[in-house]
Amino acid sequence: MKKIIINPFFMYSLTWGVVLATYSLPWTTLFPRLSTGLFCFIFTTSVISIVLGCIFRRFFYYKPVSDIDPKKTGIWVKVLWGILIAEFLVYRSIPLFGYIQGTTQYRETEFGFPILHIIMVNGFVFTALYTYYCLRSTIDKHIKIKLKRYLFMAILPPFLLLSRSVLMEIILCIIFIYLLSSKHTGRAITAGCILGLCSLFVFGALGNLRTDGGQSEHLILDIGEATDEFRNSIVPDELFWGYLYIASPMANLQNTINQADADPNNGRNWLSWGVYELMPELVSKRLYPLLSSPPKRAILITDALTVSTVYANSYAGLGWWGMIGMFLFSMGFIFSVMLLVPPSSNLYVPAIISVNMVLFLNLFDNMFIFMGLIPLVWIIIMLNINPLYTRLRKIQRP
């Protein structure tokens, strides 16, 4: 199982397979029927990905950190916290406390220094990933104490900033590392599945409470158009929330395929696709005024379910050619990281985990345009800083 988790090509096939299996459950009448074309696309790309995974399987493996330096980690944590504290002082607010006191109407996109804030929060993601990786690689108690402190300092900012997306990234990274480093993978996966189901149950229970204040336990079933088969089953109603979140992106993709008026013969659509779907938003939003055509968007089945996989916008503009282009870009993304991060590096495992995280979250949206790739940017930067840091340490030693 570890060989599947560590291999991004296998991860692509596994995640899309889970979505297809979930989508096939007859639990709602809201979703459109899965077309033969979409099924063949997912099946074909998954087979291609599995073949590539088998060809390059020797490249992907888990290894512990060979040289742990808590001092270096501490420096980066202090720098990131310095930026965070500066933001709190400039904006005169800590979002979590303001939300609790009811004095702040917080919006994640309106808080923090432009650009620097995005780099900072994703720096915390990288720090949490690498610190937990080191924590699972050492038995030295003194080093563990320092690493636990730095891990806590990396996990705390998303709570203070009320950033669920950043917290999700950190949790996913920790889960991947835990599964790969566990000596009893079967037990770890079983425990993870149980924990996942419990989390989905709690997530659904909180969703029911927020939606209707506990007045109607069946409100989400009505909104999601649950079938009688689900309503009469032994499956708790709370799990219907998780089902909707997992399967609805595929439903929005299928709805886009059914209704979008795509035109792959239009050169402007290809230009828009390259800018809006392949470039980070940090760059593409500054190019908006230069493009005459607006970005193509997915056609949602309902405004309440807004995510639509990495492929939906591509189909909206270019049809099947857009989806094929996005798949090729995804595979190229994996190969690029393989070339940039050597297996001999201590950052090799964090880099592969970051790739897997991007591929997993692509089930919900196009992560290539979001700044979830910043942990990878941090890794590339650290690859160049580490040799310089090592040389400086040697110079300082008598």
Side-chain angles (χ1 to χ4, degrees):
M1 191 64 184
K2 289 184 179 180
K3 294 181 179 180
I4 296 178
I5 298 174
I6 194 64
N7 191 320
F9 296 108
F10 291 158
M11 181 59 62
Y12 174 92
S13 303
L14 176 63
T15 50
W16 281 100
V18 170
V19 172
L20 279 178
T22 304
Y23 195 84
S24 65
L25 296 174
W27 287 358
T28 180
T29 59
L30 183 62
F31 296 167
R33 182 179 179 181
L34 190 69
S35 66
T36 302
L38 180 55
F39 175 82
C40 289
F41 176 83
I42 298 300
F43 179 79
T44 302
T45 55
S46 296
V47 170
I48 293 173
S49 190
I50 290 174
V51 172
L52 291 174
C54 292
I55 294 174
F56 296 98
R57 65 185 182 280
R58 294 183 180 180
F59 183 89
F60 304 105
Y61 56 88
Y62 178 86
K63 63 172 185 175
V65 181
S66 58
D67 181 22
I68 299 177
D69 187 357
K71 183 178 179 181
K72 182 167 56 177
T73 304
I75 292 174
W76 285 110
V77 170
K78 291 174 184 177
V79 170
L80 293 172
W81 265 91
I83 299 173
L84 181 64
I85 292 173
E87 288 188 340
F88 290 156
L89 294 175
V90 170
Y91 284 83
R92 298 181 180 179
S93 172
I94 297 178
L96 176 62
F97 298 156
Y99 180 81
I100 293 175
Q101 297 172 358
T103 59
T104 302
Q105 294 295 326
Y106 172 70
R107 292 185 178 182
E108 191 173 343
T109 57
E110 298 177 357
F111 185 89
F113 304 136
I115 301 178
L116 185 60
H117 178 80
I118 298 174
I119 296 175
M120 176 201 68
V121 295
N122 284 279
F124 281 120
V125 177
F126 165 75
T127 303
L129 168 58
Y130 186 73
T131 302
Y132 186 70
Y133 174 43
C134 292
L135 193 61
R136 297 288 293 183
S137 301
T138 183
I139 59 174
D140 188 302
K141 294 183 179 179
H142 297 289
I143 293 180
K144 278 182 174 288
I145 291 174
K146 293 181 180 179
L147 291 175
K148 287 180 180 178
R149 181 168 66 248
Y150 296 145
L151 180 61
F152 173 77
M153 293 176 67
I155 295 177
L156 182 59
F159 287 98
L160 297 178
L161 294 169
L162 293 176
S163 180
R164 292 179 296 176
S165 59
V166 175
L167 183 61
M168 178 187 297
E169 290 182 28
I170 292 177
I171 291 174
L172 284 174
C173 290
I174 289 176
I175 289 175
F176 279 129
I177 291 293
Y178 173 75
L179 292 176
L180 289 171
S181 61
S182 177
K183 295 181 179 179
H184 305 286
T185 309
R187 295 180 184 177
I189 293 176
T190 301
C193 290
I194 295 175
L195 179 61
L197 287 175
C198 292
S199 299
L200 288 176
F201 182 88
V202 173
F203 176 78
L206 292 175
N208 286 339
L209 186 62
R210 291 181 60 184
T211 301
D212 55 24
Q215 297 178 4
S216 173
E217 62 182 45
H218 299 298
L219 181 58
I220 186 58
L221 302 185
D222 297 333
I223 295 175
E225 299 183 13
T227 60
D228 292 336
E229 185 172 350
F230 176 84
R231 294 173 186 267
N232 298 328
S233 69
I234 61 174
V235 180
D237 293 349
E238 288 77 3
L239 293 181
F240 192 72
W241 281 90
Y243 163 73
L244 285 179
Y245 270 82
I246 294 172
S248 63
M250 181 74 80
N252 284 327
L253 172 58
Q254 181 62 68
N255 193 56
T256 302
I257 292 173
N258 292 344
Q259 300 188 35
D261 185 19
D263 184 9
N265 296 319
N266 189 330
R268 292 183 179 179
N269 286 350
W270 281 99
L271 178 61
S272 298
W273 176 74
V275 172
Y276 297 129
E277 298 303 314
L278 304 185
M279 291 184 179
E281 279 190 328
L282 186 66
V283 177
S284 63
K285 68 181 182 181
R286 287 165 172 77
L287 298 178
Y288 285 178
L290 303 178
L291 298 176
S292 58
S293 56
K296 301 293 183 178
R297 297 304 184 194
I299 302 175
L300 308 179
I301 56 175
T302 172
D303 293 337
L305 302 172
T306 59
V307 290
S308 53
T309 82
V310 68
Y311 290 119
N313 292 344
S314 293
Y315 185 92
L318 298 173
W320 293 109
W321 285 110
M323 293 178 62
I324 293 172
M326 182 56 72
F327 171 72
L328 295 177
F329 184 82
S330 300
M331 298 297 103
F333 167 70
I334 299 174
F335 283 116
S336 297
V337 176
M338 290 170 59
L339 293 173
L340 290 172
V341 186
S344 59
S345 171
N346 282 335
L347 297 173
Y348 161 77
V349 171
I352 299 302
I353 295 301
S354 298
V355 172
N356 284 342
M357 180 179 68
V358 170
L359 294 176
F360 174 80
L361 294 177
N362 274 348
L363 296 175
F364 304 96
D365 212 329
N366 183 1
M367 291 304 298
F368 295 123
I369 67 174
F370 295 129
M371 302 316 293
L373 294 177
I374 287 294
L376 283 172
V377 177
W378 273 82
I379 288 171
I380 302 302
I381 293 174
M382 293 298 292
L383 281 172
N384 294 282
I385 289 180
N386 280 342
L388 177 62
Y389 178 80
T390 302
R391 293 193 198 102
L392 291 175
R393 288 189 63 186
K394 288 181 179 179
I395 294 175
Q396 293 173 356
R397 290 175 182 173

